[in-house]
Amino acid sequence: MSDASETEAGLVKPRLHIGLTGGIASGKSTVAAELASLGAIVVDADALSRAVVEPGSEGLDRVREALGPTAMAADGTLDRAAVGKLVFADPEARALLNGIIHPLVRAEGRRLVTEAGPDAVVVQDVPLLVETGQAGAYDLVLVVEADAAERVARMVRDRGMTEDAARARIAAQATDEQRRAAADVLIVNDAGLEDLRRTTRRVWEQYVEPRLQGRTRRPDVEAADQD
């Protein structure tokens, strides 16, 4: 791929467009923050999914119409807890919600990518990158992986979830095997936060800096294990 080109919609691509994904509680947010500290512009799909259903938005109106009053809190905002319970129990409701939210998030993401300009390194942090078939949209796909039992422990400890709820969240996402199949670089998070940050810096040195210097290196699939 060229360093900077126009998309079919006439939007200018960044110098390097990276897709970042990983299962819930895998450590993906730590990797995103480290990439930002190295100079990348991070577009966070989770943050965008909240923004597109803010009070007064088209997205919130459409969610209310599709899911009914149970989706709304007393103050007129989206009741995320209620919606979460509904869509995890009802595949049809989940499909309705995704059909509203995902196009809005993608449109806002495209706007932010275009704003970044042709010289930027843009990282799109997309939890459902694999599930929504977006791997081919990026110059480089980074996947963060962690042991499922450790992820459950983190959700129980850090998010106040029950073990059953945590396992259900994991089961609702792509499998490790599916994410690996989409990965250009697999970042294995198994040795603590500082090691994860160090691994992320090594990935930047090995796969991002060469592209910025005009040397194209697109790995087949390589694992970036921690020391």
Side-chain angles (χ1 to χ4, degrees):
M1 293 188 183
S2 60
D3 285 336
S5 63
E6 290 193 0
T7 68
E8 60 277 6
L11 305 178
V12 176
K13 290 182 61 181
R15 182 74 171 274
L16 186 61
H17 197 189
I18 299 172
L20 172 66
T21 194
I24 184 171
S26 63
K28 178 172 58 63
S29 295
T30 298
V31 172
E34 190 64 28
L35 292 170
S37 77
L38 292 166
I41 294 173
V42 175
V43 178
D44 184 338
D46 274 346
L48 294 184
S49 70
R50 293 189 292 271
V52 298
V53 290
E54 286 293 316
S57 67
E58 172 195 354
L60 185 61
D61 289 342
R62 291 175 60 189
V63 171
R64 182 192 299 112
E65 181 179 347
L67 300 183
T70 58
M72 305 302 297
D75 63 358
T77 61
L78 188 69
D79 187 334
R80 297 183 181 280
V83 169
K85 290 179 182 178
L86 174 63
V87 299
F88 276 105
D90 184 344
E92 184 176 345
R94 182 162 65 246
L96 279 173
L97 182 67
N98 289 343
I100 295 167
I101 300 298
H102 289 171
L104 293 173
V105 168
R106 288 182 187 179
E108 182 63 8
R110 285 194 296 270
R111 184 186 70 78
L112 293 174
V113 169
T114 301
E115 268 188 7
D119 295 324
V121 174
V122 175
V123 175
Q124 288 199 247
D125 180 345
V126 186
L128 300 182
L129 183 150
V130 172
E131 292 87 337
T132 53
Q134 297 183 60
Y138 301 99
D139 300 315
L140 189 71
V141 174
L142 308 182
V143 170
V144 185
E145 182 177 296
D147 177 74
E150 176 59 26
R151 291 164 61 198
V152 169
R154 290 173 189 163
M155 283 186 273
V156 171
R157 181 188 65 235
D158 301 335
R159 307 187 188 197
M161 299 174 68
T162 66
E163 285 195 16
D164 286 347
R167 293 186 189 283
R169 290 292 296 272
I170 290 174
Q173 294 185 331
T175 65
D176 286 343
E177 290 74 19
Q178 288 169 325
R179 279 188 287 264
R180 287 174 198 154
D184 293 311
V185 179
L186 179 65
I187 298 175
V188 180
N189 177 16
D190 62 0
L193 285 178
E194 190 47 50
D195 285 305
L196 181 58
R197 294 184 183 105
R198 184 160 47 247
T199 298
T200 303
R201 292 194 292 271
R202 188 161 63 247
V203 168
W204 182 275
E205 292 166 0
Q206 293 177 353
Y207 301 108
V208 177
E209 287 184 354
R211 295 292 293 268
L212 299 181
Q213 295 166 5
R215 293 181 282 126
T216 58
R217 177 184 180 183
R218 183 180 177 89
D220 295 326
V221 175
E222 300 196 14
D225 293 306
Q226 298 179 3
D227 295 330

